[in-house]
Amino acid sequence: MVVLSVPSEVTVILLDIEGTTTPIAFVKDILFPYIKENVKGYLETHWEEEECQQDVSLLRKQAEEDSHLDGAVPIPAASGDGADELEQLIQAVVDNVCWQMSLDRKTTALKQLQGHMWRAAFKAGHVKAEFFEDVVPAVRKWREAGMKVYIYSSGSVEAQKLLFGHSTEGDILELVDGHFDTNIGHKVESESYRKIANSIGCSTNNILFLTDVTLEASAAEEADVHVAVVVRPGNAGLTDDEKTYYSLITSFSELYLPSST
Ligand SMILES: CSCCC(=O)C(=O)COP(=O)(O)O
Ligand SMILES: [Mg+2]
């Protein structure tokens, strides 16, 4: 088995979710279709609620920022003028969400609405999150060795907690010391990793970030965070240069902590 030694200065392991702890197929084949199939009904049912209105406002703001992009779908402001207008408005939000999802965009606005929509599905037990089989045993071992374990995903913190709270392994939320999402910054920007270190109360070089996306690894590395790229079934392929440059692991069990036996 390949072994990657974790540098002794590392005290925090920061984990990406999709493609790292969890198969991309679970997100693409279960979570995302749930949104596409239910977004219209969800908006119709929850439209009057404060939370739903906040989600729509955030999506509208994002749509304004996106107006220069090819195929962008605007969301008009509501004038409160009748059922026809409401129907058109809801349809615009649906089209905007579907357009963003067709590009797998990671905007905070999209991720916030998705998190709110998944809540009902997870809480009713209709969906259980999948984790690669090496994840839970490794995280337990790291924590026993004194490591802190944090999550940094484009999925909203609320969605992250749903995944860890309702998984095929049971409720494993207690294995996580804290969560970060794009509210702290995007995963391809190095400043986000500095802010995460600051929020945890450590230096960036105390963190080891595990992700499947080399653009994220590169941003983290620029902030002096240690990185390893996780190669999982179903992940996007890496170029030969990326394979040579990055430390690669195919299972969390390949990480060796100097302090552990
Ligand atoms: C944690 S919620 C579900 C996954 C999701 O929506 C997503 O965008 C995951 O992105 P990641 O940063 O974990 O690769
Ligand atoms: Mg990922």
Side-chain angles (χ1 to χ4, degrees), residues 6 16 32 38 46 49 74 79 91 107 123-124 160 178 193 223 241:
V6 175
D16 163 66
F32 287 177
N38 293 288
H46 298 277
E49 294 166 22
S79 67
Q91 192 57 50
T107 63
K123 293 212 164 148
Q160 296 173 25
Y193 299 87
D241 282 352

Side-chain angles (χ1 to χ4, degrees), residues 56-248:
V56 171
S57 295
L58 210 55
L59 284 164
R60 184 180 289 113
K61 205 161 149 250
Q62 182 65 48
E64 282 159 17
E65 283 171 31
D66 291 342
S67 57
H68 64 287
L69 297 178
D70 222 23
V73 181
I75 301 177
S79 67
D81 221 9
D84 280 356
E85 195 224 27
L86 180 60
E87 205 183 313
Q88 283 169 18
L89 196 48
I90 288 178
Q91 192 57 50
V93 179
V94 170
D95 293 345
N96 178 282
V97 165
C98 291
W99 169 71
Q100 289 206 57
M101 290 185 69
S102 72
L103 301 173
D104 194 17
R105 297 193 78 216
K106 306 282 188 186
T107 63
T108 306
L110 175 65
K111 295 294 156 186
Q112 182 173 299
L113 174 73
Q114 288 177 336
H116 291 151
M117 287 186 62
W118 288 323
R119 186 166 51 204
F122 276 106
K123 293 212 164 148
H126 295 150
V127 182
K128 285 208 185 301
E130 291 169 25
F131 288 86
F132 289 107
E133 63 181 9
D134 50 280
V135 171
V136 173
V139 172
R140 287 194 199 285
K141 206 166 147 196
W142 299 339
R143 287 171 58 91
E144 277 162 24
M147 289 282 166
K148 298 272 180 213
V149 177
Y150 286 80
I151 305 298
Y152 183 27
S153 169
S154 301
S156 67
V157 166
E158 189 171 353
Q160 296 173 25
K161 288 181 177 170
L162 287 168
L163 260 69
F164 281 81
H166 305 81
S167 84
T168 52
E169 320 273 331
D171 180 349
I172 51 168
L173 247 186
E174 60 167 27
L175 296 182
V176 178
D177 291 283
H179 300 258
F180 298 97
D181 62 19
T182 54
N183 280 302
I184 201 138
H186 287 283
K187 294 174 78 185
V188 294
E189 291 165 5
S190 17
E191 189 53 22
S192 309
Y193 299 87
R194 292 187 194 100
K195 286 185 184 162
I196 286 174
N198 195 38
S199 167
I200 294 172
C202 66
S203 300
T204 50
N205 66 2
N206 297 137
I207 300 177
L208 169 65
F209 178 47
L210 305 182
T211 181
D212 58 318
V213 175
T214 52
L215 275 178
E216 297 171 4
S218 161
E221 205 176 43
E222 209 181 300
D224 210 18
V225 164
H226 296 276
V227 298
V229 172
V230 184
V231 178
R232 298 287 200 181
N235 284 6
L238 302 174
T239 64
D240 287 342
D241 282 352
E242 288 170 335
K243 283 184 200 160
T244 311
Y245 181 78
Y246 289 106
S247 299
L248 306 179

